[in-house]
Amino acid sequence: MTATAARTETRTMTMVAAINDALDIALQQDDAVHIFGEDVGVMGGVFRATDGLQARYGAERVFDTPLAEAAIVGMGIGMGLAGLKPVAEIQFAGFLYPALDQVLSHLGRYRHRTRSRYHLPMVVRAPYGGGVHTPEQHADSPEAILAHTPGIKVVIPSTPADAKGLLLSAINDPDPVFFFEAIKLYRSVKEDVPVGDYRVPLGKARIVTVGDDVTVICYGGMVEVAQKAAAAAKTAGIGVEVIDLRTLVPLDTDTILASVQKTGRVVVVTEAPRTGGFHSEISATIAEEAIEFLRAPIIRVTGFDAPYPPFTAIEDVYRPNAVRVARAIKAAMGY
């Protein structure tokens, strides 16, 4: 069932509960689905996203691994090529780096390497982003690295319903998908989530708020920040259209360009470092495809070119907030 299909039965969930629900449904529907990673079995994951699944489906299908990210991804590649549907968890996205050899050299290449004789239906889940004062490497946003890797899809939900629907679509996709989950949103947001097998298609953005003056493009943990800035701008008579990308690869350029053609002003918001981030890819796409519609320069609101600050209140300066986004909106309007 797709996101557009009629469904009346819902249940109020947090994002982490919606993710758990999606994993439960996937395990129930298909014996090929296997879940593994550090502490995902007995403990149910550090954020309890896999809570209760090992007890329900057994230690052969939901199991713990050593602290070895390269082995986690490498094993998943082998499982996917053997006909299974591996769902691996990297405990934090900032822990992914030891596995990059497997990701860059193998994970995204098998469809091309085998001339499409083999597909690799693997999902790699990972919490990412800041807002909760975590230690070093627990709040990194490495999505641009994955988006730059051919053959890999990148999904970043911002709501519980989207988390469930996108995760079920990712698990049933024939290609490898990285699924990043904003730590800040795990339990801070609740909403009604459709019960049962509910899917949101990959590659389709969501228009969060409609406006005619400025387009704000964001994803994951930055969507709620953009919404607050849009609400503040509305009190000043500025209509802001907030676009939640949902998926970076594939990218819904149609929705982006349609909004830009309407507003002529763009602010792109991410919490990743400024240089080389996915915000720059979005900006370049708009410049190539819709520059004649722009009334002001594209403005990026991002993290800084420095490691994400651990623990301290400096995080509140590093991570984009509604004030910074509202200033960017005002600057775009005043150009």
Side-chain angles (χ1 to χ4, degrees), residues 123-186:
V123 173
V124 182
R125 294 180 42 251
Y128 91 101
V132 293
H133 301 290
T134 54
E136 186 178 7
Q137 285 189 267
H138 289 64
D140 288 16
S141 298
E143 63 270 17
I145 299 173
L146 288 313
H148 185 69
T149 305
I152 292 175
K153 297 176 181 178
V154 181
V155 178
I156 309 181
S158 69
T159 69
D162 274 1
K164 176 179 179 176
L166 289 166
L167 182 53
L168 282 169
S169 292
I171 292 171
N172 289 282
D173 195 274
D175 295 311
V177 179
F178 269 84
F179 195 91
F180 287 124
E181 303 155 7
I183 299 172
K184 175 75 163 54
L185 302 180
Y186 265 150

Side-chain angles (χ1 to χ4, degrees), residues 112-131:
H112 180 266
R113 184 177 285 168
T114 65
R115 304 297 187 267
S116 291
R117 289 194 299 273
Y118 286 91
H119 300 268
L120 191 46
M122 179 179 181
V123 173
V124 182
R125 294 180 42 251
Y128 91 101

Side-chain angles (χ1 to χ4, degrees), residues 44-202:
V46 291
F47 294 103
R48 303 300 184 265
T50 54
D51 189 35
L53 297 182
Q54 187 182 82
R56 200 167 300 133
Y57 297 98
E60 290 187 358
R61 295 187 64 200
V62 182
F63 56 91
D64 294 316
T65 67
L67 307 184
E69 285 77 15
I72 292 170
V73 176
M75 179 175 64
I77 291 171
M79 293 170 68
L81 291 173
L84 299 176
K85 292 183 177 179
V87 181
E89 179 182 302
I90 300 297
Q91 197 166 75
F92 290 89
F95 296 175
L96 174 67
Y97 309 130
L100 284 180
D101 179 37
Q102 294 292 332
V103 174
L104 302 178
S105 300
H106 301 291
L107 182 59
R109 295 177 180 265
Y110 269 97
R111 180 194 284 270
H112 180 266
R113 184 177 285 168
T114 65
R115 304 297 187 267
S116 291
R117 289 194 299 273
Y118 286 91
H119 300 268
L120 191 46
M122 179 179 181
V123 173
V124 182
R125 294 180 42 251
Y128 91 101
V132 293
H133 301 290
T134 54
E136 186 178 7
Q137 285 189 267
H138 289 64
D140 288 16
S141 298
E143 63 270 17
I145 299 173
L146 288 313
H148 185 69
T149 305
I152 292 175
K153 297 176 181 178
V154 181
V155 178
I156 309 181
S158 69
T159 69
D162 274 1
K164 176 179 179 176
L166 289 166
L167 182 53
L168 282 169
S169 292
I171 292 171
N172 289 282
D173 195 274
D175 295 311
V177 179
F178 269 84
F179 195 91
F180 287 124
E181 303 155 7
I183 299 172
K184 175 75 163 54
L185 302 180
Y186 265 150
R187 290 182 171 83
S188 64
V189 178
K190 288 184 178 182
E191 70 174 2
D192 290 340
V193 177
V195 173
D197 186 0
Y198 166 76
R199 302 188 192 183
V200 175
L202 305 188

